[in-house]
Amino acid sequence: MENIPLKAFQNALSMALLVSLLVFADVITKWFCIIDKFNRDQKRECSFANTFRGMFFRAWQEGYLESRKFREELGKKSRAYGISILIAIAVYLFPDFTVQGVPADEALSFIIYLSVVVAECFSIVENLKEMGVKEASFVRDGLLAVLRKFGVNPSQELTRPTERKDKDESN
C-alpha cells in the first residue's frame, strides 16, 4: 500500500473537518425548516418555545422529523462525501505534472474538495431561503460570483431558482 504524503493527509483531514461542520450546519438548518413547516401546519406561531418543543417533542412524527429517514439521508451523504475525499486523495497521488505552471494533480484534488464544500453551502442556503431568510440570497450570489471567477458557469436552475418558481406559479 502506498504511503500517503503528509500534505495529502492534512488536506483530507482538514476537508473532512470542514465538510463535517457544513453537514452539521445543513442538518440543523433543515431541522429548523421542517419544524417551521410543522408549526405552520399546526397553526402555531414560529416562536422560540414552539421551535424548541417541535425540535425535541412534537415534530418527531411521520412527514416531519423522522429518525429513520434522517439516518438514511445522513448515511448517503456521509458515504458520498467520504468517497469524494478518497478520490481526491487518489487524484493527489497521481504522478506530478504541471499544466501552465500549475500542479495538475493538486488542482484536481482541490476542485473535488471545492465541489463538496460548494454543494453543502448551496444546501444550507436553500434551507435558509425555505425558512424565509431573505439575506441568504447574498451567500448564494457570492458563491456564484466566485464560481464564475474560476470560469464555472452553473446551470440556470442554480442561478435563479426563485424566479422560475414565481413564473411557474403565475401560469
Side-chain angles (χ1 to χ4, degrees), residues 38-52:
F38 174 80
N39 284 333
R40 278 184 274 129
D41 291 349
Q42 301 297 317
K43 310 257 189 287
R44 293 188 173 104
E45 78 173 292
C46 190
S47 66
F48 176 78
N50 284 335
T51 299
F52 180 82

Side-chain angles (χ1 to χ4, degrees), residues 13-96:
L13 193 59
S14 298
M15 291 311 296
L17 179 62
L18 176 61
V19 168
S20 297
L21 291 172
L22 289 171
V23 167
F24 178 75
D26 184 38
V27 167
I28 295 298
T29 56
K30 188 62 177 176
W31 278 6
F32 282 117
C33 283
I34 293 170
I35 292 166
D36 186 46
K37 181 181 181 299
F38 174 80
N39 284 333
R40 278 184 274 129
D41 291 349
Q42 301 297 317
K43 310 257 189 287
R44 293 188 173 104
E45 78 173 292
C46 190
S47 66
F48 176 78
N50 284 335
T51 299
F52 180 82
R53 285 186 214 130
M55 182 175 282
F56 293 104
F57 306 108
R58 294 180 179 162
W60 286 93
Q61 53 184 279
E62 190 173 333
Y64 298 103
L65 294 176
E66 299 178 52
S67 59
R68 177 192 52 76
K69 189 174 178 183
F70 169 71
R71 279 192 314 271
E72 289 173 0
E73 294 300 317
L74 190 60
K76 288 177 189 174
K77 195 174 269 199
S78 298
R79 278 190 301 277
Y81 292 163
I83 290 170
S84 296
I85 289 172
L86 290 175
I87 290 172
I89 291 171
V91 167
Y92 189 91
L93 295 175
F94 283 171
D96 293 339

Side-chain angles (χ1 to χ4, degrees), residues 15 19 81 84 108-122 147:
M15 291 311 296
V19 168
Y81 292 163
S84 296
L108 288 172
S109 180
F110 174 76
I111 289 170
I112 293 168
Y113 288 136
L114 183 65
S115 65
V116 172
V117 170
V118 168
E120 271 309 297
C121 288
F122 273 119
L147 289 174

